[in-house]
Amino acid sequence: MSSIQIKDLTFVPYISEPELLNAIDSLAQKINADYKGRKILFVGILNGVFMFASDLMKRIDLECEISFVKLSSYDGTHSTERVKQLFGLTESIEGKHVIILEDIVDTGLTIEGLYNDLMKQNPASLDVCTLLFKPEKYTKTTPIRYFAKTIGHAFVVGYGLDYDGFGRNIPSIYKLKTKN
Ligand code: XMP
Ligand code: MG
């Protein structure tokens, strides 16, 4: 596989589609076991989560619902330290078993904000599930119970993740090519 160009940046292959789907299979099996006997409300964070949410949900064999919020903290390839809520939940989550779905947890700013907001609404339980997790960049204490893969510092695109809105349609993950 070769590198791709998105706008001014070059990206190289990083995590293949079969590797992603294998990791999502294992994640779904864990959730199916841990949540046996409970109904799940997934709350997906748009835009980046749409592909992961779809592939994960197809592998959940428990009763479940899904709803979405739209948050944004990234500008180009850098976190902006401010999370904008572009739209939120319209239904009550009180008494529900909620799992937040995220495409990638980086510093943790986005997930911490949403986690604390949802906690105030008295869910029966609240967990975080992310496709990718950057533990070396994580600065928060919000528990990241479920993740499909950990990655280092790389900025990544594909499988829903974008660079300035583009690259979401790529079925696998590419990382930014470093200069050397
Ligand atoms: P924080 O720092 O709040 O960042 O944990 C999480 C949000 O930032 C976006 N993000 C990325 N998007 N490639 C992307 O396309 C990346 O490598 C990356 N790192 C963080 C993402 O939208 C997530 O919701
Ligand atoms: Mg993004």
Side-chain angles (χ1 to χ4, degrees), residues 27-87:
L27 199 55
Q29 280 175 29
K30 261 187 234 158
I31 295 173
N32 282 330
D34 293 349
Y35 277 76
K36 206 173 164 71
R38 290 188 274 169
K39 285 184 200 166
I40 303 170
L41 169 61
F42 290 109
V43 173
I45 305 180
L46 293 174
N47 294 327
V49 84
F50 70 99
M51 280 201 195
F52 173 49
S54 160
D55 282 329
L56 180 77
M57 205 173 171
K58 282 183 265 181
R59 291 165 172 78
I60 296 296
D61 58 21
L62 308 172
E63 272 188 278
C64 58
E65 305 171 86
I66 190 161
S67 201
F68 292 94
V69 295
K70 186 159 180 174
L71 307 177
S72 176
S73 74
Y74 247 64
D75 180 18
T77 59
H78 295 283
S79 192
T80 60
E81 297 295 313
R82 273 181 310 126
V83 180
K84 282 185 280 188
Q85 175 142 170
L86 306 174
F87 65 75

Side-chain angles (χ1 to χ4, degrees), residues 53-151:
S54 160
D55 282 329
L56 180 77
M57 205 173 171
K58 282 183 265 181
R59 291 165 172 78
I60 296 296
D61 58 21
L62 308 172
E63 272 188 278
C64 58
E65 305 171 86
I66 190 161
S67 201
F68 292 94
V69 295
K70 186 159 180 174
L71 307 177
S72 176
S73 74
Y74 247 64
D75 180 18
T77 59
H78 295 283
S79 192
T80 60
E81 297 295 313
R82 273 181 310 126
V83 180
K84 282 185 280 188
Q85 175 142 170
L86 306 174
F87 65 75
L89 288 177
T90 48
E91 73 268 45
S92 166
I93 63 158
E94 190 165 344
K96 295 195 174 176
H97 295 285
V98 177
I99 301 181
I100 301 172
L101 296 182
E102 173 66 302
D103 53 357
I104 184 163
V105 174
D106 190 300
T107 64
L109 185 75
T110 309
I111 211 71
E112 179 188 58
L114 182 64
Y115 185 92
N116 292 342
D117 267 10
L118 295 185
M119 221 35 175
K120 286 182 204 143
Q121 299 175 40
N122 298 318
S125 63
L126 185 60
D127 276 319
V128 173
C129 175
T130 182
L131 176 72
L132 302 176
F133 181 32
K134 296 181 180 172
E136 292 160 23
K137 289 191 68 187
Y138 193 62
T139 61
K140 307 293 182 188
T141 54
T142 302
I144 309 299
R145 181 166 183 189
Y146 300 106
F147 48 86
K149 293 222 155 263
T150 56
I151 64 170

